Amino acid sequence: MADEEVWDSIDRLHDWLDADRTREGGAHDGREELLLRILKLSEEVGEVAQAVIGATGQNPRKGTTHTWDDVRSELCDVVITGLVALRTLAPDAREVFTAHLAGVTERSLGTGRG
């Protein structure tokens, strides 16, 4: 999937969530909706932790309950949820993310190191 397709999917997921919220009577609008979408990240990160624990068999009562494919899938859910939350906060999410990634890359890998 090309970069353009990724951001098109993020826009479509954002719009789908907004439409679903509207159909449900608009129980959460504006700031509350944004906060709930950001909090959804915590839920998704918890699912990553659960998958890692399950993949490594760290819960002796449950044993091995997940695979590393499950962990990868949950990590993807975190990324998608984060990008949708960013899109909710910033209609220009693509540009915000690209600029931020460039800054992090420069700080981490740029010529100013060493």
Side-chain angles (χ1 to χ4, degrees), residues 56-103:
T56 57
Q58 292 302 302
N59 184 336
R61 184 174 54 82
K62 294 181 180 180
T64 302
T65 58
H66 291 75
T67 66
W68 289 105
D69 283 339
D70 295 327
V71 175
R72 285 188 281 273
S73 178
E74 296 298 345
L75 284 168
C76 288
D77 287 349
V78 169
V79 172
I80 293 165
T81 302
L83 290 176
V84 171
L86 179 61
R87 172 60 183 82
T88 302
L89 181 62
D92 59 341
R94 179 184 326 214
E95 291 79 15
V96 170
F97 180 78
T98 301
H100 188 79
L101 179 59

Side-chain angles (χ1 to χ4, degrees), residues 16-88:
W16 171 73
L17 286 169
D18 276 358
D20 187 62
R21 177 184 46 82
T22 302
R23 272 192 301 278
E24 296 298 320
H28 305 289
D29 286 326
R31 185 174 182 192
E32 188 176 57
E33 182 66 23
L34 171 63
L35 293 175
L36 290 171
R37 287 194 188 164
I38 292 170
L39 285 175
K40 178 74 173 156
L41 277 165
S42 294
E43 178 187 10
E44 295 297 341
V45 169
E47 291 175 10
V48 171
Q50 182 180 17
V52 168
I53 289 167
T56 57
Q58 292 302 302
N59 184 336
R61 184 174 54 82
K62 294 181 180 180
T64 302
T65 58
H66 291 75
T67 66
W68 289 105
D69 283 339
D70 295 327
V71 175
R72 285 188 281 273
S73 178
E74 296 298 345
L75 284 168
C76 288
D77 287 349
V78 169
V79 172
I80 293 165
T81 302
L83 290 176
V84 171
L86 179 61
R87 172 60 183 82
T88 302

Side-chain angles (χ1 to χ4, degrees), residues 1-12 94:
M1 185 177 273
D3 183 62
E4 187 69 29
E5 294 171 308
V6 169
W7 286 103
D8 180 57
S9 292
I10 295 302
D11 286 339
R12 289 176 35 230
R94 179 184 326 214

